[in-house]
């Protein structure tokens, strides 16, 4: 696993609150049981799992970093670098595949130079693929900011990227 | 809450529900399942509320889950006083003002915009939903409330008979009686393996170790399988009730539900349902005044497909890497924290309350000899009416594809149906009249899997599809067993080489050989089924592989060699 520390020091006060709250609400759990739910909440707040948060959780739960890294690196939902300001979720279900979602991937690659799980160097857009967004009659399908874009063509993808780029600011990478 | 209070609650909920079906002021119901929301149902709901304000009309606005017919979403149902409930199809926010003005002000029920009545009878040229091809052959047990009740309303669920089974089990039945009824029903696990539910519960109950654990597997991580998340979105209390009864049957106070975090709506509605069930006393201490105490802890998955496997899922709850272990011991003997654990799928548990209320014999009267009851399928791919349907076991593939599914898009030729996703096989047209149940599918190299059927038409290349599923399995192999970890990788390399026009003589045999080794030498269901898509594609469409290898040509024009051939033609031209 590549754990990429943030270039700037991360404020861990929110992570601390998450740990406190979790331990209050689940007093009878063994420490390991808390790993996944706590990091899920941390990622929700920070957008990713900062390395220093892993240190903090190990310290507070009183467990080694090894099982923490073991679990974090196993579950693909966890991200170890800040995502872009916008995340494109491209559905890679079988229905989307046979309805040629590859065309959309090609447009994204061509326009933004990124593949799945990559972020543009300016920190604006991250591409994620998902197993199935569960609305297969809209294949091929994309979700951005809780909005679904169904029956996408290459042209639609171009337009969507245009609108995403124009709505991201130019100050660079978001810190979640 | 004790039993008399529950009876009182039932009476009140039923009266409210009846009043809602025959209202004094109009009722508007917006389909707010995952399928509707993906198509803009939230904006439709906002438009409905805005238009009602503009018109100054008093009306009750409600939401419901997916009724299943995705192609017609967003659906908006309107009940006017003295009229049946009419469902309007493909409603956009722009259509809302005209629709509401017609129906609520001018009294014109707009048959041109309607899909069907949600009633047993037709109404003025609008057919009953039961007469639509999509619904005609459905028998809805698991989906009985889907598209009818508000999934966030425990009162709606109770009004439609909810928690009646729990009350019956706790007051009239010993845990052994519950298990006996489940055994009688013949219900088999709906997660893919098809293990008899009653026998699993009995094994968990009779194991002398304590404590025991009860888990609902709601981790549906496969492409094109969306039944479990839709069930949770539409009727979460049915799952919860089944999970409580299961806990009573096996003898535990600890229940879990493990949901994929990638389904935020299903998660949200499940969490709310658990809270409501606690508030109403269906979870907690001494449920309905009995001696049975029980609670459910929700756990969210981390995006690892392999965690649908029982031992991997339990490791995941324990906070560990979700890597399946050697069996035996089975998880029913050595499960969560090493204790006896029953793990049941969402759809399996959704059947439980109905079986307890109506009896195991009733359920066993539905379906086929070896596969009792109904099955929920998610239908997708190149068909006219994709969606979620529930039919008796033994319904033919033809009925699924051409009846409910409406046939192939653009009336192209049917090629195959992929059953069971990345762990299943594809079945060509010669098997269209196959009755769909566990045995029949297995006998022809298909697989029930978790009931996701993807339909292929003639534009699909079987090499490309095999490559797709092999890539999925390679990506999701946990890496513990070498044959699975390296075998899926090697198979994918071979498939990529064939797809790119570099296939070699003997590659197909190599795929078959590797596939058999992966099946024989892997510990868990992922590895043991990973080669099935490619093996069945070879079995039924061998000529396509040969054409790629020998003629360097993709007949469907999907694989990269096709584009290269085309571009060389362009260069020559």
């Amino acid at each position: 696993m590549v754990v990429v520390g943030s270039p700037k020091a991360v404020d861990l006060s929110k992570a601390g609150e998450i740990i406190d709250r979790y331990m209050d609400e689940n007093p009878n759990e063994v420490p390991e049981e808390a790993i996944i739910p706590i990091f899920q909440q941390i990622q929700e707040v920070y957008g990713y799992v900062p390395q220093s948060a892993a240190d903090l959780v190990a310290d507070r739960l009183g467990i080694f970093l090894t099982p923490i890294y073991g679990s974090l690196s196993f579950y693909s939902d966890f991200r170890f670098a800040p995502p872009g300001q916008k995340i494109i979720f491209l559905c890679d279900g079988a229905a989307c595949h046979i309805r040629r979602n590859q065309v959309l991937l090609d447009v994204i690659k061509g326009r933004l130079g990124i593949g799945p799980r990559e972020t543009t160097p300016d920190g604006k857009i991250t591409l994620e693929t998902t197993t199935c967004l569960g609305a297969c009659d809209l294949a091929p399908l994309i979700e951005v900011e809780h909005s679904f874009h169904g029956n996408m063509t290459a042209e639609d993808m171009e337009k969507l990227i245009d609108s995403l780029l124009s709505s991201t600011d130019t100050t660079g990478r978001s810190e979640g | 809450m004790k039993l008399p209070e529950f009876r009182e609650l039932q009476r009140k909920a039923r009266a409210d529900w009846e009043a809602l079906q025959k209202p004094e002021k109009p009722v508007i119901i917006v389909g707010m399942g995952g399928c509707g929301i993906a198509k803009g149902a939230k904006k439709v709901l906002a438009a409905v509320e805005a238009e009602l304000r503009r018109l100054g009309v008093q009306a009750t606005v409600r939401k419901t889950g997916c009724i299943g017919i995705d192609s017609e979403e967003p659906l908006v149902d309107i009940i006017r006083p003295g009229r049946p409930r009419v469902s309007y199809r493909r409603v956009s926010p722009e259509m809302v003002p005209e629709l509401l003005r017609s129906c609520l002000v001018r009294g014109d029920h707009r048959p041109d915009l309607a899909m069907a009545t949600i009633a047993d009878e037709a109404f003025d040229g609008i057919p009953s939903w039961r007469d639509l091809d999509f619904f005609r052959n459905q028998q809805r047990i698991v989906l009985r409330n889907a598209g009818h009740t508000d999934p966030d309303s425990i009162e709606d669920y109770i009004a439609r008979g909810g928690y009646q089974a729990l009350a019956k089990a706790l007051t009239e039945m010993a845990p052994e009686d519950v298990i006996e009824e489940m055994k009688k029903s013949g219900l088999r696990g709906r997660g893919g393996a098809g293990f008899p539910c009653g026998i699993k519960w009995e094994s968990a109950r009779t194991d002398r170790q304590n404590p025991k654990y009860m888990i609902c597997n709601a981790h549906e991580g496969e492409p094109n399988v969306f039944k479990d998340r839709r069930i949770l979105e539409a009727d979460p209390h049915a799952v919860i009730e089944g999970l409580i009864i299961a806990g009573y049957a096996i003898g535990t106070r600890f229940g879990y539900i493990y949901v994929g975090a990638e389904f935020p709506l299903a998660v949200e509605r499940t969490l709310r349902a658990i809270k409501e069930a606690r508030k109403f006393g269906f979870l907690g201490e001494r449920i309905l005044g009995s001696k049975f105490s029980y609670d459910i802890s929700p756990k969210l998955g981390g995006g690892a497909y392999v965690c649908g496997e029982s031992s991997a899922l339990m490791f995941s709850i324990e906070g560990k890497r979700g890597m399946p272990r050697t069996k035996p011991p089975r998880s029913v003997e050595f499960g969560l924290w090493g204790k006896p654990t029953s793990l049941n799928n969402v759809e399996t548990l959704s059947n439980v309350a109905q079986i307890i209320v109506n009896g195991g014999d009733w359920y066993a009267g539905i379906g086929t000899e070896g596969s009792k009851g109904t099955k929920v399928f998610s239908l997708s791919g190149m068909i006219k009416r994709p969606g979620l349907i529930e039919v008796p076991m033994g319904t033919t593939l033809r009925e699924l594809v051409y009846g409910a599914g409406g046939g192939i898009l653009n009336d192209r030729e049917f090629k195959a149906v992929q059953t069971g996703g990345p762990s299943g096989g594809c079945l060509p047209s010669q098997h269209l009249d196959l009755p769909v149940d566990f045995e029949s599918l297995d006998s022809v190299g298909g697989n029930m899997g978790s009931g996701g059927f993807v339909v292929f038409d003639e534009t699909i290349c079987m090499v490309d599809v095999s490559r797709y599923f092999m890539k999925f399995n390679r990506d999701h192999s946990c890496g513990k067993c070498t044959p699975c970890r390296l075998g899926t990788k090697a198979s994918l390399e071979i498939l990529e080489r064939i797809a790119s026009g570099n296939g070699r003589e003997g590659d197909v045999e190599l795929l078959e050989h590797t596939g058999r080794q992966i099946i024989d030498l892997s510990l868990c269901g992922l590895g043991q089924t990973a080669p099935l898509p490619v093996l069945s594609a070879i079995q039924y469409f061998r000529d396509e592989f040969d054409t790629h290898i020998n003629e360097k040509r993709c007949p469907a024009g999907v694989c990269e060699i096709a584009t290269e051939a085309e571009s060389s033609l362009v260069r020559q031209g």
Side-chain angles (χ1 to χ4, degrees):
Chain A
M1 163 172 93
V2 187
V3 178
V4 182
S6 168
K8 281 177 278 175
V10 181
D11 175 7
L12 289 176
S13 54
K14 282 184 188 151
E17 288 165 20
I18 289 169
I19 302 169
D20 287 343
R21 194 172 54 239
Y22 188 88
M23 290 169 82
D24 275 355
E25 287 170 2
N26 301 280
N28 299 323
E29 286 191 354
V30 298
E32 284 79 5
E33 199 177 346
I35 296 175
I36 297 171
I38 283 180
F39 282 108
Q40 282 170 335
Q41 293 176 35
I42 286 177
Q43 176 154 306
E44 198 156 322
V45 171
Y46 290 84
Y48 71 111
V49 176
Q51 181 166 9
S52 50
D55 297 338
L56 180 72
V57 172
D59 190 44
R60 299 288 293 280
L61 292 179
I63 52 179
F64 289 114
L65 266 176
T66 326
I68 290 183
Y69 281 179
S71 290
L72 286 178
S73 60
F74 184 82
Y75 296 98
S76 58
D77 283 356
F78 292 115
R79 210 181 274 131
F80 305 104
Q85 292 172 30
K86 310 258 166 162
I87 303 176
I88 298 175
F89 291 97
L90 184 134
C91 182
D92 198 22
C96 286
H97 177 82
I98 62 175
R99 295 212 210 168
R100 310 283 164 91
N101 64 355
Q102 184 61 41
V103 172
L104 310 180
L105 279 166
D106 291 344
V107 171
I108 295 170
K109 184 91 195 164
R111 282 287 303 277
L112 301 171
I114 52 171
R117 308 223 77 179
E118 290 175 359
T119 302
T120 53
D122 60 7
K124 284 187 175 174
I125 295 175
T126 295
L127 172 64
E128 296 274 1
T129 53
T130 70
T131 302
C132 186
L133 289 171
C136 303
D137 71 316
L138 294 175
L141 176 66
I142 274 183
E143 184 188 357
V144 184
E145 297 184 311
H146 308 295
S147 277
F148 290 85
H149 304 265
N151 302 316
M152 292 285 283
T153 62
E155 211 168 277
D156 297 335
M157 193 67 230
E158 294 275 3
K159 282 187 198 148
L160 181 63
I161 291 175
D162 287 339
S163 80
L164 286 177
L165 287 177
S166 64
S167 63
T168 48
D169 65 38
T170 48
T171 54
R173 197 175 278 272
S174 114
E175 282 295 324
Chain B
M1 186 167 56
K2 297 223 168 78
L3 204 57
E5 293 158 85
F6 175 61
R7 296 286 176 231
E8 183 51 38
L9 178 64
Q10 273 185 318
R11 267 191 294 277
K12 184 173 179 311
R14 280 186 189 139
D16 290 349
W17 179 259
E18 283 310 314
L20 202 66
Q21 308 314 306
K22 294 185 167 44
E24 284 166 11
K25 61 181 184 181
V27 179
I28 298 166
I29 306 157
V30 181
M32 296 284 282
C35 53
I37 289 174
K39 289 187 148 180
K42 281 183 182 165
K43 285 183 184 147
V44 172
L45 178 65
V48 165
E49 284 167 344
E51 187 59 25
L52 286 174
R53 276 196 301 275
R54 200 170 304 138
L55 295 174
V57 173
Q58 288 290 313
T60 311
V61 179
R62 311 190 92 229
K63 66 171 189 295
T64 187
C66 274
I67 202 163
I69 185 160
D70 293 8
S71 55
E72 307 306 308
E73 295 280 348
L75 290 169
V76 173
D77 298 2
I78 299 180
I79 315 175
R80 286 188 290 146
R83 304 262 190 248
R85 172 172 167 183
V86 176
S87 190
Y88 295 92
R89 57 197 279 263
R90 300 187 189 187
V91 178
S92 63
E94 295 73 32
M95 279 165 67
V96 166
E98 175 56 24
L99 178 65
L100 293 194
R101 253 172 264 162
S102 298
C103 292
L104 305 184
V105 181
R106 296 201 295 270
D108 169 4
H109 47 261
R110 297 301 298 264
D112 57 321
L113 302 177
M115 175 181 79
T117 64
I118 306 295
D120 291 341
E121 295 83 32
F123 168 64
D124 201 14
I126 303 171
S128 159
W129 68 302
R130 295 189 189 281
D131 292 328
L132 299 184
D133 286 342
F134 187 81
F135 296 102
R136 183 172 316 194
N137 293 315
Q138 291 202 40
Q139 183 168 0
R140 293 162 74 99
I141 297 171
V142 171
L143 301 180
R144 57 194 287 276
N145 287 328
H148 296 277
T149 56
D150 177 349
D152 287 334
S153 164
I154 194 170
E155 290 90 350
D156 276 17
Y157 180 69
I158 292 171
R160 306 252 305 175
Y163 291 108
Q164 173 64 32
L166 179 65
K168 181 177 175 187
L170 293 184
T171 54
E172 298 169 25
M173 299 167 86
E176 289 78 7
D177 301 333
V178 173
I179 289 171
E180 198 48 46
E181 215 56 56
M182 294 307 292
K183 281 164 77 177
K184 245 193 247 170
S185 76
L187 175 67
R188 294 171 63 178
R190 298 293 193 246
F195 192 82
C197 178
I199 295 178
K200 191 185 265 187
W201 289 5
E202 189 171 52
S203 309
R205 171 148 201 96
T206 50
D207 198 299
R208 281 200 295 229
Q209 289 188 79
N210 275 303
K212 307 175 202 289
Y213 297 98
M214 180 63 225
I215 307 177
C216 171
N217 185 352
H219 184 271
E220 191 175 51
E222 297 180 26
N224 301 86
V225 180
F226 44 81
K227 66 172 181 76
D228 290 346
R229 81 181 87 165
R230 290 278 183 82
I231 293 168
L232 284 170
E233 285 169 12
D235 200 12
H237 284 288
V239 184
I240 308 268
E241 187 179 3
L243 186 52
I244 303 172
I245 294 170
Y248 175 67
I250 73 165
T252 179
R253 56 175 298 147
F254 305 108
Y256 287 87
I257 181 164
Y258 187 89
V259 198
E262 56 270 45
F263 325 135
L265 186 65
V267 171
E268 182 193 316
R269 289 188 179 160
T270 304
L271 296 182
R272 188 192 306 245
I274 292 172
K275 268 192 201 147
E276 288 283 285
R278 271 190 207 128
K279 198 173 97 190
F280 280 74
F282 301 119
L283 288 171
E285 299 300 314
R286 304 184 67 88
I287 296 167
L288 294 176
S290 72
K291 287 182 186 159
F292 176 60
S293 303
Y294 185 76
D295 205 351
I296 297 173
S297 310
K299 293 280 175 181
L300 301 189
Y305 165 64
V306 71
C307 287
E309 196 273 348
S310 61
S311 62
L313 186 151
M314 292 170 200
F315 285 135
S316 180
I317 291 180
E318 295 172 12
K320 300 180 183 128
R321 293 166 73 92
M323 296 164 86
R325 62 163 172 78
T326 319
K327 289 181 205 167
R330 293 173 306 139
S331 52
V332 72
E333 301 151 343
F334 190 90
L336 191 61
W337 316 113
K339 299 294 183 190
T341 304
S342 177
L343 177 76
N344 294 101
N345 170 266
V346 166
E347 186 187 342
T348 314
L349 291 173
S350 301
N351 277 299
V352 169
Q354 290 303 305
I355 291 172
I356 295 304
V357 168
N358 299 308
D361 291 332
W362 161 78
Y363 195 81
I366 305 163
T368 61
E369 184 60 37
S371 305
K372 301 298 186 192
T374 59
K375 180 78 191 80
V376 179
F377 292 104
S378 26
L379 289 181
S380 65
M382 302 301 201
I383 47 169
K384 288 179 183 162
R385 279 194 297 266
L388 193 70
I389 60 166
E390 181 177 4
V391 290
M393 288 277 193
T395 301
T396 63
L397 277 174
R398 187 181 300 281
E399 162 55 26
L400 296 183
V401 175
Y402 286 95
I408 309 296
L409 269 179
N410 304 318
D411 293 318
R412 284 196 289 251
E413 279 295 309
F414 170 88
K415 181 166 189 171
V417 53
Q418 171 77 24
T419 71
S423 58
C426 61
L427 302 176
S429 55
Q430 72 208 67
H431 293 306
L432 270 175
D433 290 308
L434 191 76
V436 178
D437 60 20
F438 287 105
E439 293 78 14
S440 315
L441 283 175
D442 283 347
S443 71
V444 291
N447 184 330
M448 183 72 86
S450 37
F453 283 14
V454 187
V455 178
F456 299 155
D457 67 7
E458 57 198 329
T459 66
I460 306 301
C461 169
M462 296 312 294
V463 172
D464 174 63
V465 167
S466 304
R467 177 175 57 164
Y468 167 83
F469 282 117
M470 192 56 79
K471 180 171 181 301
F472 181 88
N473 285 320
R474 183 209 57 182
D475 290 349
H476 291 86
S477 170
C478 80
K480 182 169 179 169
C481 307
T482 314
C484 174
R485 182 180 71 239
L486 296 182
T488 52
K489 184 168 181 284
S491 301
L492 180 62
E493 281 168 10
I494 300 167
L495 284 163
E496 279 176 341
R497 151 167 114 209
I498 297 174
S500 63
N502 299 310
R504 301 171 199 158
E505 176 95 36
D507 269 357
V508 173
E509 289 71 23
L510 193 55
L511 278 171
E512 289 177 324
H513 177 73
T514 316
R516 276 193 301 272
Q517 292 206 326
I518 301 172
I519 291 171
D520 288 345
L521 300 172
S522 300
L523 277 181
C524 84
L526 191 150
Q528 287 161 9
T529 57
L532 294 184
V534 64
L535 292 181
S536 74
I538 292 172
Q539 183 185 349
Y540 293 116
F541 299 97
R542 165 87 195 224
D543 54 323
E544 285 190 33
F545 288 79
D546 290 340
T547 309
H548 281 75
I549 295 170
N550 301 329
E551 300 172 29
K552 314 287 177 211
R553 189 167 65 81
C554 173
V558 175
C559 297
E560 295 80 357
I561 37 173
T563 35
E564 272 170 31
E566 279 159 18
S567 55
S568 74
L569 279 178
V570 171
R571 276 197 297 277
Q572 286 162 14

